[in-house]
């Protein structure tokens, strides 16, 4: 099997991307797990003209054309966990997409995000919690599960959860307690299509609330008791 690592490189992230690349090399050297081949597909968008979504979609197209069965999304300001390929190997046969726990690195050592949901197995579980405590971009996914343009290129923020929700609703997805990457905080990209964490939170929470309402509407109404 072949895995493609998808990385958009936005404004201010050129040097950080080199460190992301090094983390990929370190992980490959440590263990390729179930993969025979692993390749990095980086799309430079240093002026911010494309935006994250279009850059990711372009990289996905390149990876598919090269025969990738699986993809992993690694932002340029993050680091791949050294044991990511080894960790995910037992899950590849049973799932279509696998997320790990959120591990963050600020000014000091890396640590797990407090109060996060460590294991998620269903769509209902996913939307039951605040998005800040559930998923981040770094995850493995079967290339065959993605449409031609899985990320909404018109969105400047929240495009991640717009992509996650239908994937979780229609495919076999899981979040496992082990981290697959390290989120380096404080290095958000700049440029004309950037957004703050606060802006992301507003959009993501609106999508989660809509998903909850839709799921509630899909539930069958309980039958009245005899005599009511």
């Amino acid at each position: 099997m072949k895995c493609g690592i998808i990385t958009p490189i936005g404004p201010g992230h050129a040097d950080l991307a080199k460190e992301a690349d090094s983390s990929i090399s370190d992980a490959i050297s440590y263990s390729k797990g179930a993969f025979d081949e692993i390749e990095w597909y980086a799309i430079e968008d240093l002026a911010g003209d494309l935006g994250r979504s279009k850059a990711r979609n372009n990289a996905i197209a390149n990876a598919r054309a090269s025969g990738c069965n699986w993809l992993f999304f690694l932002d340029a300001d993050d680091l791949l966990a050294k044991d990511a390929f080894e960790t995910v190997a037992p899950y590849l046969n049973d799932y279509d997409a696998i997320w790990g726990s959120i591990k963050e690195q600020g000014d000091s050592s890396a640590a797990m995000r407090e109060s996060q949901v460590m294991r998620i197995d269903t769509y209902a579980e996913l939307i039951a919690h605040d998005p800040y405590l559930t998923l981040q971009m770094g995850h493995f996914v079967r290339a065959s599960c993605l449409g031609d343009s899985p990320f909404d290129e018109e969105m400047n923020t929240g495009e991640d959860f717009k992509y996650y929700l239908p994937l979780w609703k229609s495919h076999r997805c899981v979040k496992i307690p082990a981290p697959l990457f390290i989120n380096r905080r404080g290095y958000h990209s700049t440029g004309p299509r950037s957004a703050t964490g606060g802006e992301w939170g507003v959009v993501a929470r609106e999508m989660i609330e809509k998903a909850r309402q839709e799921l509630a509407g899909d539930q069958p109404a309980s039958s009245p008791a005899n005599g009511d």
Side-chain angles (χ1 to χ4, degrees), residues 66-141:
S66 297
C68 289
N69 314 96
W70 283 85
L71 305 174
F72 185 86
F73 292 94
L74 182 71
D75 285 348
D77 55 340
D78 294 330
L79 301 172
L80 188 65
K82 185 177 181 179
D83 59 353
F85 302 118
E86 181 179 77
T87 298
V88 79
Y91 299 91
L92 296 176
N93 289 333
D94 297 328
Y95 294 97
D96 299 313
I98 304 104
W99 279 256
S101 59
I102 301 171
K103 190 172 185 179
E104 302 174 312
Q105 180 176 308
D107 296 331
S108 56
S109 59
M112 294 294 188
R113 176 172 290 180
E114 293 184 3
S115 303
Q116 69 174 293
V117 185
M118 297 298 289
R119 173 89 187 201
I120 304 174
D121 290 281
T122 68
Y123 175 73
E125 290 174 352
L126 173 63
I127 66 174
H129 300 279
D130 187 272
Y132 181 76
L133 302 176
T134 56
L135 306 180
Q136 281 197 328
M137 181 51 63
H139 68 285
F140 288 93
V141 61

Side-chain angles (χ1 to χ4, degrees), residues 13-51:
H13 279 179
D15 290 335
L16 290 170
K18 295 176 183 176
E19 297 176 31
D21 187 17
S22 294
S23 74
I24 296 170
S25 298
D26 290 344
I28 292 172
S29 297
Y30 180 79
S31 173
K32 291 195 291 185
F35 298 112
D36 303 302
E37 188 177 354
I38 299 165
E39 188 171 347
W40 189 38
Y41 295 86
I43 298 292
E44 289 193 358
D45 182 29
L46 300 181
D49 296 325
L50 297 177

Side-chain angles (χ1 to χ4, degrees), residues 123-124 126-129 131 152 155 161-162 165-166 169 201-219:
Y123 175 73
L126 173 63
I127 66 174
H129 300 279
D152 188 331
M155 297 182 72
F161 266 84
K162 185 172 182 180
L165 292 175
K169 195 171 186 179
V202 170
V203 175
R205 290 179 182 109
E206 286 177 350
M207 284 189 281
I208 290 293
E209 181 57 32
K210 181 179 179 181
R212 289 171 182 165
Q213 293 174 4
E214 290 176 346
L215 184 63
D218 289 340
Q219 302 301 321

